[in-house]
Amino acid sequence: MSDRLIVALVKAGRTKIRYPADLVADTGDRLTVRAPWAAEGVRDFGFVRFEPGDVFTEHFWRSRWYAVKEVRAGDGRLKGWYCDVTRPAVVRDGEILVEDLDLDLWVSGDGTSVLRLDEDEFAASGLAARDPEAAARAVRALDALEAQARTPAGLPGLLA
């Protein structure tokens, strides 16, 4: 596998974003890549701002229903972790393909803020009616991420 991959995030059958990333590690199940903030300009969520200069260390699993992204400012300061609930990653032809299932979790760098995000989008997506098993797995994945975030080890405990 090359040291450079393309991450393709798909949502509702459409490519949401594609960006190059450097391969850091591949355990056979978990791929870790590093990439700069890939969108244009600043994205202010209120609880965090993603902006040019930020660096994302992203962990994708071939067997798990989520991705965990460590976010650091350009000066190296840890902003926190943004977690996407996804179907397991598919890796082929130099690309990591990830299907976003709407649910997200944000954990601040100090671990004091744990926010479940986009549950309204998930409910409106119709996934529960179209694919009840996938919807149930997605909810379980979000619950597991939140539970891990609230342990003393936090999300870094998943990555050890």
Side-chain angles (χ1 to χ4, degrees), residues 84-127:
D84 286 317
V85 173
T86 67
R87 291 184 189 269
V90 174
V91 182
R92 67 173 173 256
D93 301 327
E95 184 174 78
I96 303 172
L97 180 62
V98 185
E99 184 181 346
D100 187 340
L101 298 177
D102 293 308
L103 294 172
D104 301 299
L105 188 78
W106 168 255
V107 181
S108 62
D110 63 7
T112 60
S113 178
V114 179
L115 304 172
R116 291 171 74 107
L117 306 171
D118 303 328
E119 289 178 298
D120 55 339
E121 286 181 32
F122 177 74
S125 74
L127 184 64

Coordinates of all heavy atoms in Angstrom, one line a residue, residues 84-127:
D84 N -17.0 10.3 13.7 CA -18.1 10.0 12.8 C -18.5 8.6 12.9 O -17.7 7.7 13.0 CB -17.6 10.1 11.3 CG -17.3 11.6 10.9 OD1 -18.1 12.4 11.2 OD2 -16.3 11.8 10.2
V85 N -19.9 8.4 13.0 CA -20.4 7.1 13.0 C -20.6 6.7 11.5 O -21.1 7.5 10.7 CB -21.8 7.0 13.7 CG1 -22.4 5.6 13.5 CG2 -21.6 7.3 15.2
T86 N -20.0 5.6 11.1 CA -19.9 5.2 9.7 C -20.0 3.7 9.6 O -19.9 3.0 10.5 CB -18.5 5.6 9.1 OG1 -17.5 4.8 9.7 CG2 -18.1 7.0 9.3
R87 N -20.2 3.3 8.4 CA -20.1 1.8 8.1 C -18.6 1.6 8.2 O -17.8 2.5 8.0 CB -20.6 1.5 6.7 CG -22.2 1.6 6.6 CD -22.6 1.1 5.3 NE -24.1 1.4 5.1 CZ -25.0 0.6 5.4 NH1 -24.8 -0.6 6.0 NH2 -26.3 0.9 5.2
P88 N -18.2 0.3 8.4 CA -16.7 0.0 8.4 C -16.1 0.5 7.1 O -16.7 0.5 6.0 CB -16.7 -1.5 8.5 CG -18.0 -1.9 9.2 CD -19.0 -0.9 8.7
A89 N -14.9 1.0 7.2 CA -14.1 1.5 6.1 C -13.8 0.4 5.1 O -13.5 -0.7 5.4 CB -12.8 2.2 6.6
V90 N -13.8 0.8 3.8 CA -13.4 -0.1 2.7 C -12.2 0.5 2.1 O -12.2 1.7 1.8 CB -14.6 -0.2 1.7 CG1 -14.1 -1.0 0.5 CG2 -15.8 -0.8 2.3
V91 N -11.1 -0.3 2.0 CA -9.9 0.2 1.4 C -9.6 -0.5 0.1 O -9.6 -1.7 0.1 CB -8.7 0.0 2.4 CG1 -7.4 0.6 1.8 CG2 -9.1 0.6 3.7
R92 N -9.5 0.3 -1.0 CA -9.1 -0.4 -2.3 C -8.6 0.7 -3.2 O -9.0 1.9 -3.2 CB -10.3 -1.1 -2.9 CG -11.4 -0.2 -3.3 CD -12.5 -1.0 -4.1 NE -13.6 -0.1 -4.3 CZ -14.8 -0.1 -3.7 NH1 -15.0 -1.0 -2.7 NH2 -15.7 0.7 -3.9
D93 N -7.7 0.3 -4.0 CA -7.1 1.1 -5.1 C -6.6 2.5 -4.5 O -6.8 3.5 -5.1 CB -8.1 1.4 -6.2 CG -8.5 0.1 -6.9 OD1 -7.7 -0.9 -6.9 OD2 -9.7 0.0 -7.3
G94 N -5.9 2.5 -3.4 CA -5.4 3.7 -2.8 C -6.4 4.6 -2.2 O -6.1 5.8 -2.0
E95 N -7.6 4.1 -1.9 CA -8.6 5.0 -1.4 C -9.3 4.3 -0.1 O -9.5 3.1 -0.1 CB -9.7 5.2 -2.4 CG -10.8 6.1 -2.1 CD -11.8 6.3 -3.2 OE1 -12.6 5.5 -3.5 OE2 -11.7 7.4 -3.8
I96 N -9.6 5.2 0.9 CA -10.3 4.7 2.0 C -11.7 5.3 1.8 O -11.9 6.5 1.8 CB -9.8 5.3 3.3 CG1 -8.3 4.9 3.5 CG2 -10.6 4.9 4.5 CD1 -7.6 5.6 4.7
L97 N -12.7 4.4 1.6 CA -14.1 4.8 1.4 C -14.8 4.6 2.7 O -14.8 3.5 3.3 CB -14.7 3.9 0.3 CG -16.1 4.2 -0.1 CD1 -16.3 5.6 -0.6 CD2 -16.7 3.2 -1.1
V98 N -15.5 5.7 3.1 CA -16.2 5.7 4.4 C -17.6 6.3 4.2 O -17.7 7.4 3.6 CB -15.5 6.6 5.4 CG1 -16.1 6.5 6.8 CG2 -14.0 6.2 5.5
E99 N -18.6 5.5 4.6 CA -20.0 6.0 4.4 C -20.5 6.6 5.8 O -20.6 5.9 6.8 CB -20.9 4.8 4.0 CG -22.3 5.3 3.8 CD -23.3 4.2 3.4 OE1 -22.8 3.1 3.1 OE2 -24.5 4.5 3.5
D100 N -20.7 7.9 5.8 CA -21.1 8.6 7.0 C -22.6 8.4 7.2 O -23.4 8.5 6.3 CB -20.9 10.1 6.7 CG -21.2 11.0 7.9 OD1 -21.9 10.6 8.8 OD2 -20.7 12.2 7.8
L101 N -22.9 8.0 8.5 CA -24.3 7.7 8.8 C -24.9 8.8 9.7 O -25.9 8.5 10.5 CB -24.3 6.3 9.6 CG -23.9 5.1 8.7 CD1 -23.9 3.9 9.5 CD2 -24.7 5.0 7.5
D102 N -24.4 10.0 9.6 CA -25.0 11.2 10.2 C -24.6 11.4 11.7 O -24.4 12.5 12.1 CB -26.5 11.3 10.1 CG -26.9 11.5 8.6 OD1 -26.4 12.4 8.0 OD2 -27.8 10.7 8.1
L103 N -24.6 10.4 12.5 CA -24.3 10.5 13.9 C -22.9 10.9 14.2 O -22.0 10.3 13.5 CB -24.7 9.3 14.7 CG -26.1 8.9 14.7 CD1 -26.3 7.5 15.4 CD2 -27.0 9.9 15.5
D104 N -22.6 11.8 15.1 CA -21.3 12.3 15.4 C -21.1 12.5 16.9 O -22.1 12.6 17.6 CB -20.9 13.6 14.7 CG -21.1 13.5 13.2 OD1 -20.4 12.7 12.6 OD2 -21.9 14.2 12.6
L105 N -19.9 12.5 17.3 CA -19.6 12.8 18.7 C -18.4 13.7 18.8 O -17.4 13.5 18.0 CB -19.2 11.5 19.5 CG -19.0 11.6 21.0 CD1 -20.4 11.6 21.7 CD2 -18.2 10.4 21.5
W106 N -18.5 14.7 19.6 CA -17.3 15.6 19.8 C -16.9 15.5 21.3 O -17.7 15.5 22.2 CB -17.7 17.1 19.5 CG -16.6 18.0 20.0 CD1 -16.7 18.8 21.1 CD2 -15.4 18.2 19.4 NE1 -15.5 19.5 21.3 CE2 -14.7 19.2 20.2 CE3 -14.7 17.7 18.3 CZ2 -13.4 19.6 19.9 CZ3 -13.4 18.1 18.0 CH2 -12.8 19.1 18.8
V107 N -15.6 15.4 21.5 CA -15.0 15.3 22.8 C -13.9 16.4 22.8 O -13.0 16.4 22.0 CB -14.4 14.0 23.1 CG1 -13.8 13.9 24.5 CG2 -15.4 12.9 22.9
S108 N -14.0 17.3 23.7 CA -13.0 18.4 23.9 C -11.7 17.8 24.3 O -11.6 16.8 24.8 CB -13.5 19.5 24.9 OG -13.6 18.9 26.2
G109 N -10.6 18.6 24.0 CA -9.2 18.1 24.2 C -9.0 17.8 25.7 O -8.3 16.9 26.0
D110 N -9.7 18.5 26.6 CA -9.5 18.2 28.0 C -10.5 17.1 28.5 O -10.5 16.8 29.7 CB -9.7 19.5 28.9 CG -11.0 20.1 28.8 OD1 -12.0 19.6 28.2 OD2 -11.2 21.2 29.4
G111 N -11.4 16.7 27.6 CA -12.3 15.6 28.0 C -13.5 16.0 28.8 O -14.3 15.1 29.1
T112 N -13.6 17.3 29.1 CA -14.8 17.7 29.9 C -16.1 17.9 29.1 O -17.1 17.9 29.7 CB -14.4 19.0 30.6 OG1 -14.2 20.0 29.7 CG2 -13.2 18.9 31.6
S113 N -16.0 18.0 27.9 CA -17.2 18.2 27.0 C -17.3 17.0 26.1 O -16.4 16.8 25.3 CB -17.1 19.5 26.2 OG -18.2 19.7 25.4
V114 N -18.5 16.3 26.2 CA -18.8 15.2 25.3 C -20.2 15.5 24.7 O -21.1 15.5 25.5 CB -18.8 13.9 26.1 CG1 -19.1 12.7 25.2 CG2 -17.4 13.6 26.8
L115 N -20.2 15.7 23.4 CA -21.4 16.1 22.8 C -21.9 15.1 21.7 O -21.1 14.9 20.8 CB -21.3 17.5 22.1 CG -20.8 18.6 23.0 CD1 -20.5 19.9 22.2 CD2 -21.8 19.0 24.1
R116 N -23.1 14.6 21.8 CA -23.7 13.8 20.8 C -24.3 14.8 19.7 O -25.0 15.8 20.1 CB -24.8 13.0 21.3 CG -24.3 11.9 22.2 CD -25.4 11.2 22.9 NE -26.1 10.3 22.1 CZ -26.1 9.0 22.1 NH1 -25.3 8.3 23.0 NH2 -26.8 8.2 21.3
L117 N -24.0 14.6 18.4 CA -24.3 15.5 17.4 C -25.2 14.9 16.3 O -25.0 13.7 16.0 CB -23.1 16.1 16.8 CG -22.1 16.7 17.7 CD1 -20.8 17.1 17.0 CD2 -22.7 18.0 18.4
D118 N -26.0 15.6 15.7 CA -26.7 15.3 14.5 C -27.7 14.1 14.6 O -28.0 13.4 13.7 CB -25.8 15.0 13.3 CG -24.9 16.2 13.0 OD1 -25.3 17.3 13.2 OD2 -23.7 16.0 12.7
E119 N -28.2 13.9 15.8 CA -29.2 12.9 16.0 C -30.5 13.2 15.2 O -31.2 12.2 14.8 CB -29.5 12.6 17.5 CG -28.3 12.0 18.2 CD -28.5 11.8 19.7 OE1 -28.6 12.8 20.4 OE2 -28.4 10.6 20.1
D120 N -30.8 14.4 15.1 CA -32.0 14.8 14.3 C -31.7 14.5 12.8 O -32.7 14.0 12.1 CB -32.3 16.3 14.4 CG -31.1 17.2 14.1 OD1 -29.9 16.8 14.1 OD2 -31.3 18.4 13.8
E121 N -30.6 14.7 12.3 CA -30.3 14.3 10.9 C -30.4 12.8 10.7 O -30.8 12.3 9.7 CB -28.8 14.8 10.5 CG -28.7 16.3 10.3 CD -27.3 16.6 9.8 OE1 -26.6 15.8 9.2 OE2 -26.8 17.7 10.2
F122 N -29.9 12.1 11.7 CA -29.9 10.6 11.6 C -31.4 10.2 11.6 O -31.7 9.3 10.7 CB -29.2 10.0 12.8 CG -29.3 8.5 12.9 CD1 -28.5 7.8 12.0 CD2 -30.1 7.9 13.8 CE1 -28.5 6.4 12.1 CE2 -30.1 6.5 13.9 CZ -29.4 5.7 13.0
A123 N -32.2 10.7 12.4 CA -33.6 10.3 12.5 C -34.3 10.7 11.1 O -35.1 9.9 10.6 CB -34.3 11.0 13.6
A124 N -34.0 11.8 10.5 CA -34.6 12.3 9.3 C -34.0 11.5 8.1 O -34.6 11.5 7.0 CB -34.3 13.8 9.1
S125 N -32.9 10.8 8.2 CA -32.2 10.1 7.1 C -33.1 9.0 6.6 O -32.9 8.5 5.4 CB -30.8 9.7 7.5 OG -30.9 8.5 8.3
G126 N -33.9 8.4 7.4 CA -34.7 7.2 7.0 C -33.9 5.9 7.0 O -34.4 4.9 6.6
L127 N -32.7 5.9 7.6 CA -31.9 4.7 7.7 C -32.6 3.6 8.5 O -32.6 2.5 8.1 CB -30.5 5.0 8.2 CG -29.6 3.8 8.3 CD1 -29.3 3.3 6.8 CD2 -28.3 4.1 9.0

